[in-house]
Amino acid sequence: MNPAPLLWLCLLALGATASAETPADAVRAVPVAPDAAAATAWQTEPHLSVIPRTEAERARIAKVLAPPTDFSAPEPFETKPAGAATTRLMPGTEAFSQFSPNMPVDREMDFKIGNGIFRKLWVGAPSSTRGSDGLGPLYNARACQNCHIKDGRGHMPDGPDDSRVSAFLRLSIPGGPDRPEIPGYIPTQPDPVYGGQLQDLALEGYLAEARMGVSWTEMPVTLADGSVVSLRRPAYAVEAPAYGPPHPALQVSPRVAPQMIGLGLIEAVPVADIVAGADPEDADGDGISGREQIVWSSQFDRPMLGRFGHKAGNATILEQSASAFSGDMGLSTPLFDSPSGECTDAQTDCRSAPSGQEPGIRDGLEVDGASLDLVNFYSRNLAVPERRGADDPRVLRGKEIAYTIGCTACHRPKFVTHRLKDQPEQSFQLIWPYTDLLLHDMGEGLADGRPESRADGREWRTAPLWGIALNGKVTGVESYLHDGRARSLIEAVLWHGGEAQAARDAVVNLPAEDRKALIAWLESL
């Protein structure tokens, strides 16, 4: 039998301009006076070459995305969370480092070269290794892989001597110019001395900005059956600041690096399908009022839907990568071309340090356009591992509980990606990321108090759940939520508040066997 028709049925399953402001925070850099037409442009998708859906396709998609009514068996294709881009499960540290198996053979070399750049250890300039210099002089890590450990999540330090390389503090202060092209924008600006991100490492001869301090307080939570789960509440501080005290109104937000799998598929989800799930006024009365994040894209010089980062602060993988090169490593790219990263005007030694920019070398940048494109391609094509135990009775019971108590109101199970002209790996796939890619109020317990574009200090983007329980096997540390405070899945659930409070309370009141079933379902993803 020719496998092509079968594959077709499986896939369908359906019957840059620079800122005029300070470059101190590449993530938040926006022009002062954008084109007026940009005010209505945020639902466009200039990063994708889309083939429009037919009416027949829309009807089939609606059918396959309908929620299940039978929980006695897995849904069709549920064991393939990334569609044809799903890879076989490789237990251990390599689980998140495989490429999409539907990638054409002639593109595999691009993936491997992108992986090499992602893993590259950068050094300070000047250096004899002219292809790898330009680091810092202030930075958080020497390689992308140092933060995204084996392409998985980072984690917070448990003690004062533990590494902080995969975690950092975002910084801002209130105020700054409004952005009328972004509805509901909350003005903030970088700290005038420390910028938009705390760099706790520096090249020899330079002073690191400060040390990220974190301390933990254990908080016991008693469940309805009498069992006790201990949560740890973090407290963060900017310790030993080297350039004077931060601004008195400093807003601090802790972050750990997120896992890298499935990013290209998330980028390929139609904006219209994400927007359709928004309910900012809670019109249906279910207590869930997700809303779209809208951010300024330096890549396309317009507002766009935010998708990437814990508050969905970037619209595309490429821009997320360029922001990390600048903020995390102090490396210039075509998008953010300052060789001193986000060092501020107050940090004169940093601003005047030797750079890795040389005429005729890497387009005069530290990370040239070709290298950034290769990292983008690599990040776009890290595959999602196949599901485990989807037909196990306990897992199926846990799935039914998740739907019943409302977990899937935010952790939306499935989408169908755009049909794309030039991205066969992401084109027209039925995917199961378990996120609606919207902002939700998660309550005071998880609040950081720091706005980002139109997300307020209590809002976070719904995190994808695919591969969630493999992170401990990949990195050696179980670490969940935006700052890694949760050491287990049940801890992560118990931190939920705000719009998720009712679902969280339902978990607290579950019989022990049902609670174990819910966790077994999460572990199967």
Side-chain angles (χ1 to χ4, degrees), residues 356-371:
Q357 294 183 342
E358 300 178 67
I361 303 294
R362 297 175 296 193
D363 296 340
L365 296 165
E366 292 164 332
V367 180
D368 61 10
S371 296

Side-chain angles (χ1 to χ4, degrees), residues 273-330:
D273 291 357
I274 298 170
V275 171
D279 185 15
E281 304 302 326
D282 191 21
D284 60 7
D286 65 353
I288 307 299
S289 51
R291 63 197 191 100
E292 312 92 335
Q293 171 67 299
I294 304 172
V295 298
W296 187 266
S297 169
S298 295
Q299 181 181 357
F300 293 103
D301 198 27
R302 70 179 72 186
M304 291 178 63
L305 178 77
R307 300 172 188 249
F308 300 106
H310 294 296
K311 285 184 182 277
N314 274 309
T316 67
I317 302 170
L318 188 143
E319 191 155 1
Q320 180 83 1
S321 300
S323 296
F325 274 124
S326 178
D328 298 353
M329 291 181 278

Side-chain angles (χ1 to χ4, degrees), residues 22-48:
T22 172
D25 187 355
V27 174
R28 302 195 57 77
V30 296
V32 170
D35 190 297
T40 58
W42 71 268
Q43 294 196 45
T44 61
E45 298 166 298
H47 60 299
L48 300 173

Side-chain angles (χ1 to χ4, degrees), residues 80-145:
K80 300 291 185 183
T86 304
T87 190
R88 66 185 180 89
L89 175 62
M90 296 184 65
T93 60
E94 300 302 315
F96 290 166
S97 298
Q98 310 307 306
F99 58 78
S100 304
N102 60 342
M103 179 188 296
V105 173
D106 61 359
R107 294 160 73 96
E108 291 181 16
M109 185 56 68
D110 287 346
F111 180 88
K112 292 174 182 177
I113 297 173
N115 183 20
I117 300 170
F118 195 83
R119 296 166 61 90
K120 177 195 289 192
L121 290 172
W122 294 84
V123 297
S127 170
S128 58
T129 56
R130 296 172 71 190
S132 302
D133 69 349
L135 177 70
L138 307 181
Y139 61 97
N140 294 103
R142 290 182 58 201
C144 306
Q145 188 87 195

